[in-house]
Amino acid sequence: MIKRLHNLLLDWSLSATVAGFLAVIISYSGPLVIYFQAANVAGVSYELTTSWVWAVSIGSAIAGIILSMLYKIPIITAWSAPGTVLLVSLFPDISLGEVVGAYILTGLVMIGIGWSGYFDKLLRLIPQSLAAGLMAGVLFQFGLRLFQVSEIAPILVFSMMVIFLITKRFAPRYSIIWVMLGGLMISLMLGKTDIGALSFNLGTPSFTWPEFSLFSFFNLTIPLIIVTLSGQFLPGMMMIRVSGFSSMSAKPVLIITGIVSVFVAFFGGITIALASITAALCLGKEAHINSEKRYVAGVFNGVFYLLGAIFAGSIVTIFTIFPQEMIAALAGLALLGAIGGNLSLAMKNEEEKEAALVAFLVTVSGVSFGGISSVLWGSVFGLVTYWALRKW
């Protein structure tokens, strides 16, 4: 362990640290909002809401740090965003105890799926170009959002774009750092950010006894397993593999996140899963030119989540002082390289480009037949096209 920490210090870089920090900011400013919506619908107290934030933060931190340190790959974990959307729809017909019970069962199933190795077999069926098309589709919305928010806050967004172009030309490795700092300064000058609203309150976990019922099993456990596997683990593993870490198995990721999920469930934390969108920030050259040193971004992503857990009581205030337009522009600019890289890889193989294009378009469309995410449907339609047009 001491040797691993020593290597971490030797491999440390500011760009990787900032990549991990950006991933946390985007997670807190986006999916966490849905989590608060679920808490509102459930009518839970401030203390219990704080416990929920503490649980998902500590869970994401532990799983991400362990996996990144063990495999020297930036493995970014977070809570199940599609599962959180599902949770909103179930309140007030489900009790908090039933929710915790469903989370525990989901974590145990994830451990079982990981141990079986079947998820890796599924991943091997998907060609690299098709996987790249899927990932380009997942990330595409962030590129669009970059220009959409320019209508709402043109001075802020276009200023950030100018900073991006200048720094990308003269200091490409630290471009996003300057964009983040510049965006913050400009938003302060425009009165869009109020630093005076900051307050620091420690997060305290609250234990909830689990309850198990057929209602929660069929209405939360099973759908949560499906949407988490298809909406996060599938695109997350594809993102890791198309980023040059093709040897990484899904088995330890599912097992470790499953174990952590069971633990945080008792404190209201929804299932911990593999991140896909925010992972793109830490898997590319922007994090570090040397792929062997990008794992530092995964470790520091976990460190920043730990800080989020410690100050869970004030996390809402901290991450709502930033204007949403700034967050959207920052995410869009940070992910430009990942979007372009995946589109290029998707079109590289002449025999597979139609399948990759179909996978890309289905994923971008956002279709969710049967409540299953467009990522899984993109995989299905892409594979059908691939096999239909393949030369035998």
Side-chain angles (χ1 to χ4, degrees):
M1 185 62 185
I2 295 174
K3 185 178 179 181
R4 289 183 187 275
L5 289 173
H6 178 68
N7 290 336
L8 178 66
L9 291 174
L10 292 176
D11 295 336
W12 181 87
S13 67
L14 181 60
S15 56
T17 305
V18 171
F21 178 64
L22 289 178
V24 171
I25 285 182
I26 292 167
S27 291
Y28 278 146
S29 61
L32 194 66
V33 175
I34 306 170
Y35 212 37
F36 282 110
Q37 186 181 351
N40 264 340
V41 175
V44 301
S45 64
Y46 168 81
E47 289 74 22
L48 194 53
T49 304
T50 299
S51 178
W52 287 13
V53 176
W54 177 89
V56 295
S57 299
I58 202 76
S60 301
I62 292 171
I65 291 173
I66 290 174
L67 288 165
S68 296
M69 288 288 283
L70 282 179
Y71 298 96
K72 296 200 78 172
I73 294 173
I75 299 175
I76 309 302
T77 54
W79 52 98
S80 175
T84 308
V85 175
L86 175 68
L87 185 64
V88 175
S89 66
L90 290 174
F91 285 124
D93 298 322
I94 190 170
S95 71
L96 294 178
E98 286 176 309
V99 168
V100 170
Y103 290 166
I104 292 171
L105 290 178
T106 301
L108 293 173
V109 171
M110 293 297 180
I111 296 170
I113 292 172
W115 196 266
S116 71
Y118 284 119
F119 202 75
D120 279 316
K121 293 178 181 178
L122 170 65
L123 290 170
R124 282 194 288 270
L125 293 174
I126 303 173
Q128 188 181 48
S129 58
L130 198 151
L134 286 168
M135 291 322 306
V138 170
L139 301 173
F140 195 72
Q141 58 174 307
F142 290 88
L144 288 179
R145 185 67 180 152
L146 165 63
F147 296 98
Q148 289 169 345
V149 297
S150 65
E151 282 189 312
I152 304 169
I155 297 175
L156 174 61
V157 176
F158 287 128
S159 296
M160 291 174 70
M161 288 184 186
V162 170
I163 296 170
F164 174 78
L165 292 173
I166 294 172
T167 55
K168 194 70 176 176
R169 173 67 177 83
F170 297 104
R173 186 174 172 185
Y174 301 104
S175 176
I176 293 302
I177 300 173
W178 291 111
V179 172
M180 182 182 69
L181 293 173
L184 183 58
M185 288 181 64
I186 294 164
S187 65
L188 281 167
M189 290 168 61
L190 295 173
K192 291 180 175 289
T193 299
D194 181 16
I195 297 294
L198 282 173
S199 62
F200 294 96
N201 302 307
L202 297 178
T204 52
S206 299
F207 185 89
T208 301
W209 283 104
E211 298 173 21
F212 301 94
S213 69
L214 289 176
F215 176 83
S216 63
F217 179 74
F218 286 108
N219 289 281
L220 183 54
T221 302
I222 292 178
L224 182 56
I225 291 168
I226 293 171
V227 298
T228 303
L229 286 175
S230 64
Q232 291 204 235
F233 279 104
L234 182 62
M237 284 306 303
M238 287 180 185
M239 179 65 75
I240 289 172
R241 294 192 171 193
V242 299
S243 298
F245 304 101
S246 57
S247 62
M248 185 62 206
S249 168
K251 183 175 181 177
V253 179
L254 281 161
I255 291 174
I256 290 175
T257 54
I259 292 170
V260 173
S261 294
V262 172
F263 165 69
V264 301
F266 289 100
F267 305 98
I270 197 168
T271 305
I272 302 301
L274 190 61
S276 55
I277 295 166
T278 52
L281 296 166
C282 303
L283 285 162
K285 292 180 180 179
E286 291 79 10
H288 202 287
I289 195 69
N290 185 346
S291 61
E292 294 181 358
K293 296 184 179 182
R294 291 175 197 164
Y295 77 97
V296 174
V299 175
F300 275 90
N301 176 260
V303 170
F304 289 120
Y305 270 130
L306 279 176
L307 292 175
I310 293 170
F311 296 106
S314 58
I315 205 69
V316 186
T317 306
I318 294 173
F319 288 94
T320 53
I321 64 168
F322 301 112
Q324 290 302 305
E325 296 81 15
M326 175 190 154
I327 299 296
L330 190 60
L333 291 168
L335 291 170
L336 279 181
I339 296 169
N342 279 287
L343 282 173
S344 177
L345 185 58
M347 298 295 107
K348 189 175 182 180
N349 190 319
E350 189 68 26
E351 294 182 1
E352 298 175 1
K353 69 179 183 180
E354 287 89 355
L357 183 59
V358 168
F360 168 74
L361 292 173
V362 173
T363 306
V364 167
S365 72
V367 295
S368 57
F369 302 120
I372 298 174
S373 76
S374 62
V375 177
L376 184 57
W377 287 119
S379 304
V380 171
F381 283 105
L383 281 171
V384 169
T385 306
Y386 171 74
W387 288 108
L389 300 180
R390 189 182 183 192
K391 293 179 180 179
W392 297 88

